[in-house]
Amino acid sequence: MVRRLLQDRPMRSGRIWALAAAWAMAGCIAEPIDEGDLGESEEVGAVVSSLTAAQRRTRAGQIRDAAAANGMTNGWMLAGIADAETNMSHCWSELTWACQGPDSADCGGGPVVAGAGDGPCSLRQGGLGMFQFDAGTFDDTLRREGDRILSIAGNVAAAVDFVVAMVIRSAYVSGVDNREQAIEWMNGVRTDNARFDPWIKTVTHYYNGCAPSYSCWSSRYAHYRDNTTGVYGEMGAAFWDVRHDFAAEYVHQTFPLARDPFELAPREEVTGSIELRNVGQATWRPGETFLGTTEPRDAACPFAGPDWIAPNRPATVDHDVPPGETGTFTFTVRAPDTPGEYPQFFTLVQEGVAWFSDQGGPADGQLQVRLTVTEAPACPEGTGPDWVCDGNDRVRCEVGMVERETCADGCDAGACAGPAEDGDGDGHDARFDCDDADPSIHPGMVDECEDGVDQDCDGEDAICVPLLEGDGRPMAARLTGGCSAGGPGAPGPFAAVGWIGAALLFARRRRTR
């Protein structure tokens, strides 16, 4: 059965082909058309719609979103059919020369558009809505499809069901045996890839009913092709991308704008940020939403800094950013060794899901950091790429960049000395403790005289000398190098006399040997 939306018009011999919705969509799913019954004079004609450009964009968005809700991400493929059939008109108020169908809430309570090619409108036999579902009378169609086809979203959902069945049985599509495969195949169609031609052939043959052997083939193929590419181009690639869940708007950046100078010496580093507003529908999250390199995409950036996640991923968003809020991407720029100009473009990417812009499109080049690397200054005299000591610091210089590091435990041959070990735990490390295995030997310890052990680590063993007290009896006194008043073994009140006497006795003792 062939249903066509027609209108008698005096301007063209009393009649104009207004629309060919070539076969009743709901009926064709259940009862495939007998292609031999199709006359070769069937033509797809022009449709005059009252939709404005803004209304067309709104309707296209409704088709896009309803198709996506039913798993079909390429809503423009359905919009191309609807545009070829009714100029995407769904309500009679948008195509008033056609017949009036049942009332719809989406039409303000008024009628949907109905086909006018099945006899007088009073017969109520035309196809319904923008995709012209037709199972006979209006009542027959509603019994078969349900009231859903009176709404815009329901009409699109029914169209998805139809094109799925159409692709499964298409002679132009291979390897598709079920709904999942059909959806996957259709979602892979692009206007410039190898699937587009089989799609248009499928629409021309199985939707319109015109087979390649019919004289109508060339004109109808061109009609569906041109309306599909036309509506795609009219709205723009970004519009049709259901990934509009992810979209960003520039707010601010601390890096100089591309038009302003941004000069660094080789290996010089500067940290900055780019702030963006979430104008999509999905929340950005750290570890999921990243700033990525573009032109070309995912290429390693020549000035990637040490804090970059990867050479093609400067940063992730700093916090969860719901729609309408702003997020910040902070990263460091490190100038390459070679002087010159380094322009780098960025856009956002929801890792593993989608880029926020079309590849090669204008949005791929909206965020830019343009770095100019200047000639390297000379290194200070005595410095080079190897570390050298400068007091307790170690210093090196390469392509004019000086690095200086203070060594807490001193510098030795260009390396920071590590903290010395205190092997015996006496509070004195091996640099000063002459026996770091014996806690009774360390600087400040009392040196036992003439025992053959240097307990105070001064390099000498203390010497014992006799001193006379008031009763004339000798006593041992320790003569220690470096003793000070009040220290261990310090002399008593007669220190001066004692020391003088000791010195005389010591001298006498040495002479008697």
Side-chain angles (χ1 to χ4, degrees):
M1 175 180 1
V2 179
R3 306 290 188 190
R4 290 181 302 168
L5 187 60
L6 306 174
Q7 170 68 17
D8 289 340
R9 307 278 283 188
M11 66 175 61
R12 197 176 286 180
S13 301
R15 185 167 175 168
I16 181 174
W17 295 107
L19 173 70
W23 44 311
M25 297 176 64
C28 291
I29 294 175
E31 304 173 32
I33 190 170
D34 181 355
E35 296 164 6
D37 293 340
L38 210 78
E40 295 186 3
S41 63
E42 306 294 339
E43 296 179 0
V44 177
V47 177
V48 179
S49 170
S50 62
L51 288 177
T52 65
Q55 289 171 327
R56 281 177 58 80
R57 192 170 185 85
T58 298
R59 180 60 46 77
Q62 292 169 323
I63 295 172
R64 174 199 65 199
D65 296 342
N70 287 273
M72 188 172 176
T73 58
N74 283 341
W76 53 269
M77 294 164 64
L78 293 184
I81 295 174
D83 199 46
E85 302 304 323
T86 62
N87 267 166
M88 295 190 291
S89 299
H90 182 71
C91 302
W92 176 79
S93 61
E94 300 163 351
L95 210 64
T96 56
W97 54 262
C99 294
Q100 299 183 32
D103 292 342
S104 168
D106 283 358
C107 298
V112 298
V113 66
D118 296 302
C121 291
S122 59
L123 296 179
R124 297 169 60 82
Q125 291 187 342
L128 299 179
M130 73 180 98
F131 290 102
Q132 291 289 281
F133 285 93
D134 192 348
T137 65
F138 294 171
D139 291 338
D140 293 335
T141 302
L142 293 177
R143 269 193 299 271
R144 185 183 295 267
E145 293 298 325
D147 290 345
R148 69 169 180 166
I149 63 169
L150 299 181
S151 71
I152 292 172
N155 209 263
V156 175
V160 173
D161 293 341
F162 174 69
V163 296
V164 163
M166 186 173 76
V167 168
I168 291 173
R169 63 190 289 257
S170 173
Y172 311 102
V173 179
S174 60
V176 174
D177 300 312
N178 53 49
R179 181 183 180 90
E180 181 180 357
Q181 292 173 348
I183 290 290
E184 183 180 2
W185 187 88
M186 289 188 294
N187 287 344
V189 176
R190 301 290 182 269
T191 58
D192 58 355
N193 73 5
R195 293 187 183 184
F196 186 68
D197 176 67
W199 167 252
I200 299 300
K201 287 179 178 177
T202 298
V203 172
T204 306
H205 189 163
Y206 296 94
Y207 182 90
N208 181 260
C210 180
S213 60
Y214 300 166
S215 62
C216 60
W217 176 261
S218 296
S219 61
R220 296 189 187 182
Y221 176 96
H223 180 72
Y224 286 109
R225 178 198 64 202
D226 294 346
N227 277 79
T228 301
T229 56
V231 76
Y232 180 88
E234 177 186 355
M235 307 304 165
F239 174 89
W240 292 112
D241 191 344
V242 294
R243 298 172 302 178
H244 64 287
D245 284 349
F246 303 106
E249 180 180 80
Y250 175 82
V251 177
H252 175 70
Q253 69 185 53
T254 60
F255 292 110
L257 298 175
R259 66 171 183 264
D260 299 326
F262 182 28
E263 296 183 348
L264 296 180
R267 301 196 183 182
E268 186 177 358
E269 295 181 359
V270 171
T271 299
S273 61
I274 296 177
E275 184 180 357
L276 303 169
R277 179 174 290 105
N278 184 350
V279 294
Q281 300 177 12
T283 297
W284 303 347
R285 290 185 171 86
E288 298 178 8
T289 310
F290 294 88
L291 195 65
T293 58
T294 60
E295 297 192 356
R297 281 186 177 176
D298 276 335
C301 178
F303 53 69
D307 57 353
W308 284 39
I309 297 166
N312 60 345
R313 294 288 184 274
T316 188
V317 69
D318 61 335
H319 66 282
D320 285 0
V321 181
E325 301 297 323
T326 62
T328 302
F329 299 80
T330 302
F331 56 97
T332 298
V333 165
R334 186 174 192 266
D337 292 348
T338 305
E341 294 289 329
Y342 294 89
Q344 180 63 63
F345 297 90
F346 304 95
T347 193
L348 294 189
V349 56
Q350 193 73 8
E351 204 66 74
V353 180
W355 289 84
F356 281 35
S357 60
D358 289 325
Q359 186 165 3
D364 258 8
Q366 286 183 347
L367 300 177
Q368 182 182 180
V369 174
R370 180 178 291 272
L371 173 64
T372 300
V373 180
T374 60
E375 294 289 342
C379 288
E381 185 177 356
T383 62
D386 297 324
W387 290 104
V388 295
C389 291
D390 181 12
N392 283 335
D393 292 353
R394 64 176 190 153
V395 183
R396 69 177 176 180
C397 177
E398 195 168 2
V399 290
M401 298 298 296
V402 177
E403 292 183 73
R404 178 177 291 273
E405 181 180 343
T406 298
C407 300
D409 296 293
C411 180
D412 182 18
C416 284
E421 295 184 2
D422 180 8
D424 54 15
D426 59 9
H428 299 271
D429 63 53
R431 293 174 297 174
F432 309 104
D433 193 338
C434 55
D435 187 348
D436 203 31
D438 187 343
S440 67
I441 299 175
H442 57 76
M445 192 67 181
V446 175
D447 194 359
E448 298 291 338
C449 62
E450 297 185 356
D451 64 351
V453 178
D454 181 17
Q455 282 94 350
D456 63 359
C457 294
D458 69 348
E460 298 178 357
D461 185 17
I463 300 172
C464 294
V465 296
L467 294 176
L468 296 177
E469 290 185 328
D471 59 5
R473 292 176 298 173
M475 76 173 196
R478 298 179 181 88
L479 183 63
T480 58
C483 285
S484 59
F494 301 100
V497 174
W499 281 114
I500 295 170
L504 293 173
L505 289 172
F506 179 63
R508 180 180 178 184
R509 182 179 180 185
R510 287 179 60 86
R511 285 197 297 271
T512 61
R513 287 186 177 180

